[in-house]
Amino acid sequence: MDMAEGSGTANSVDKPGPRRVGCASFNQDSTSLALGTWSGYKLFSLTMVEKLDCLHDSANPPDVFIVERLFSSSLVVVVSAATPQCMNIYHFKKGTEICNYSYPNSILAVKLNRQRLVVCLEGSIYIHNIKDMKLLKTLLNTASNPSGLCALSVNHSNSFLAYPGSVTFGEIIVHDTNSLSIVTMIPAHDSPLAALAFNASATKLASASERGTVIRVFSVPEGQRLFEFRRGMKRYVNISSLSFSPDGHFLCASSNTETVHIFKLEQLGPSGEDDAATWTAYVGKMFSAASSYLPVQVSGMMSQDRAFATAHLLSSGPRNVCTLVTIQELPRLLVATADGQLFIYNVDPQNGGECTLAYTHRLIGVDDNQREGPESEGSQVTVQVQSSPSYAETAALPASGPVTAILTGYSEDGGAKNGEVIPEHEFATGPVCLDDENEFPPIDSCRSGAGGGQGKSV
């Protein structure tokens, strides 16, 4: 989840100073954190708790409000508030631009996996083949989506895209980006959607609405409701981030409050009983049995599971992004906040409860009001200098500069029969191949000329 989502266009983000955080996003396996600021963007490695290595610090372009890295590769996608309709793709290890694409309106979100690159505008979505950046399909006239809310599964074999299907209630459309067809439509909530997230295997989809009280998990591609969790009943909140643990057994949710919730996805056994016969499970069974005699509104609240664990931030903010990951062989909760801090919590996967704060890292600037304690030691960030990248030899970049492709002429029918769109791609001379230490090559090749494949719109 990107911190910029839910904030509208780039112009809606306040700009009080040059060190303001425009966005924060974890990469697909949460081994890296990307941070966009008004002075550029940064990439951090997340392999240790006490030490945070800055892999890259770029001042070009400035005013970054979207930055996404593809796994541990050198490919990074950046969108600047100065040119919100333009997406730039960089080889950050070489410090060079691979290509850039322009769209009819402001870009609100960009999602990546090893198969697809998805660009979300307010009323349309563009699906690219990440190997050569050909436009495969354009979803036109989608439900108005001013926050750019969407989710792309990490699993490229089951490359599913989820996005809102309505502006009045929480309908989810699940699109298969491999077959380029709609898989299912899920009536998830009574109010509009606020957050979406797939698990690693793309078999589950979590959602939250603008009310922020209930989080639901559905099976993919069937669209069956599997779990329902209640974040709280006292007040509505803005849930800004949902994220599954790598094994899919836990789900974390952060909002504009100071509390981050972790829910446990526990399946019932074949006999209908919980696999672990605990006192909590017994009480849950009693509530479930009693709920059948109560009104629907009351029974619904009783059947919803509460948080398995919680973490309390030092302060609340308008938005933040969270993830669950294993670091140094222990489960951790990571929370990146809008004021440029990264909180790392220890999670007890057996008993849950209150998560303990292990470390705090300040990602930008120096906070004079940062409280004393062991976490303040993490405010120092180590800058890692790349002397000779091993994959620099494998990249053949064009001598004439980066590729520029402008996707023009998009109308209701795409300017062509049956809604087909032929984008005006102009590819670089020679191949562009980024082989990153056995990672999937982000872009295999770019061919000269204005060929490219046809894009389809619906």
Side-chain angles (χ1 to χ4, degrees), residues 4 81 178 202 219 280 413:
N178 287 333
S219 64
T280 305
D413 63 354

Side-chain angles (χ1 to χ4, degrees), residues 19-143:
R19 305 305 295 175
R20 172 76 178 181
V21 176
C23 64
S25 64
F26 296 100
N27 67 339
Q28 293 78 5
D29 55 6
S30 296
T31 58
S32 176
L33 172 66
L35 191 75
T37 71
W38 295 109
S39 59
Y41 70 93
K42 295 184 177 185
L43 301 175
F44 299 93
S45 174
L46 302 174
T47 57
M48 299 181 66
V49 172
E50 298 84 2
K51 183 180 179 182
L52 198 64
D53 289 331
C54 182
L55 301 175
H56 185 68
D57 189 350
S58 174
N60 184 34
D63 300 356
V64 173
F65 72 97
I66 293 177
V67 55
E68 299 283 344
R69 184 186 181 189
L70 179 64
F71 288 91
S72 298
S73 76
S74 58
L75 186 146
V76 61
V77 178
V78 178
V79 181
S80 168
T83 54
Q85 295 175 264
C86 182
M87 174 184 69
N88 302 90
I89 302 178
Y90 294 101
H91 185 311
F92 79 85
K93 294 286 186 176
K94 291 179 68 69
T96 52
E97 183 181 73
I98 299 170
C99 58
N100 61 73
Y101 287 79
S102 295
Y103 299 86
N105 303 109
S106 295
I107 300 169
L108 301 178
V110 178
K111 303 297 178 183
L112 313 167
N113 63 26
R114 288 187 170 97
Q115 195 75 11
R116 299 290 182 252
L117 184 149
V118 174
V119 178
C120 181
L121 312 186
E122 183 172 352
S124 57
I125 296 175
Y126 297 83
I127 302 174
H128 293 269
N129 181 22
I130 203 167
K131 289 186 177 182
D132 53 18
M133 280 304 296
K134 290 180 182 178
L135 180 66
L136 301 177
K137 191 165 187 176
T138 307
L139 307 177
L140 297 174
N141 300 317
T142 57

